[in-house]
Amino acid sequence: MSGPIDAWQLLQEDLQVARNRDPAARSSLEVALLYPGVHAVWAHRLAHRMWRHPGLRLGARIVSQLARSATGIEIHPAATVGRRLFIDHGMGVVIGETAVIGDDVTLFHSTTLGGRSMTHGKRHPTLGNRVVVGAGAKVLGAVWVGDDAQIGANAVVVKDVPEGAVAVGVPAKIKSRPQSSPTVEHCEDPAIFI
């Protein structure tokens, strides 16, 4: 996770990352007004700040549920989200309470960072930096997904994924990334490695 940054810089980063990762984004104004993934991240920042104060936790949950109603994206206010998270399309994305997301992560629609148990404590995934999670993928339990890993579309991940690896299938199996693999900016979907 990165160090402190002011709110205006965060807002600018969020707009720029959407423009960088979505070729359909035509302007920062369009992103600010019409991108539910950006709106969900903004609402989460407010809810997360509130969550850190025990007296404001109900309010934090209300903010997160209003954001869910407006965007179709549910991020628990206790989840830790790094900088420059981009949620593409977003509908159906769920990020659980104890999830931790690093910097420069991309989540496609209908992805779940969920739990596998009803016990208290760490029960949701930890994603490193520059992770890409394909459409419909489920990352379940207190698993660790290393930096630069990619999760294929509709994969179900229930075990750790090493740095730089690609996880595909149900249940997900780890594949090494080909030496000539494209960078995240050029990758349409991690499922290309199937």
Side-chain angles (χ1 to χ4, degrees), residues 163-182:
E163 291 184 12
V166 176
V168 294
V170 180
K173 301 213 182 321
I174 306 303
K175 293 190 171 196
S176 296
R177 188 183 309 221
Q179 293 295 341
S180 63
S181 70

Side-chain angles (χ1 to χ4, degrees), residues 7-88:
W8 180 250
Q9 285 178 302
L10 281 173
L11 182 133
Q12 293 298 319
E13 272 187 0
D14 293 334
L15 297 176
Q16 191 58 50
V17 77
R19 293 191 68 194
N20 291 347
R21 294 191 203 157
D22 184 357
R26 289 170 185 80
S27 71
S28 293
L29 179 62
E30 176 185 32
V31 172
L33 294 175
L34 302 173
Y35 274 54
V38 172
H39 300 156
V41 168
W42 289 346
H44 173 71
R45 288 210 189 102
L46 172 62
H48 186 69
R49 178 168 281 185
M50 293 170 69
W51 185 264
R52 293 187 306 215
H53 302 284
L56 297 178
R57 287 191 172 176
L58 177 60
R61 289 295 304 225
I62 291 169
V63 168
S64 73
Q65 291 303 297
L66 289 172
R68 175 185 178 219
S69 296
T71 65
I73 299 165
E74 181 171 353
I75 308 174
H76 192 285
T80 302
V81 174
R83 289 172 51 189
R84 297 175 300 276
L85 169 64
F86 178 59
I87 303 173
D88 195 12

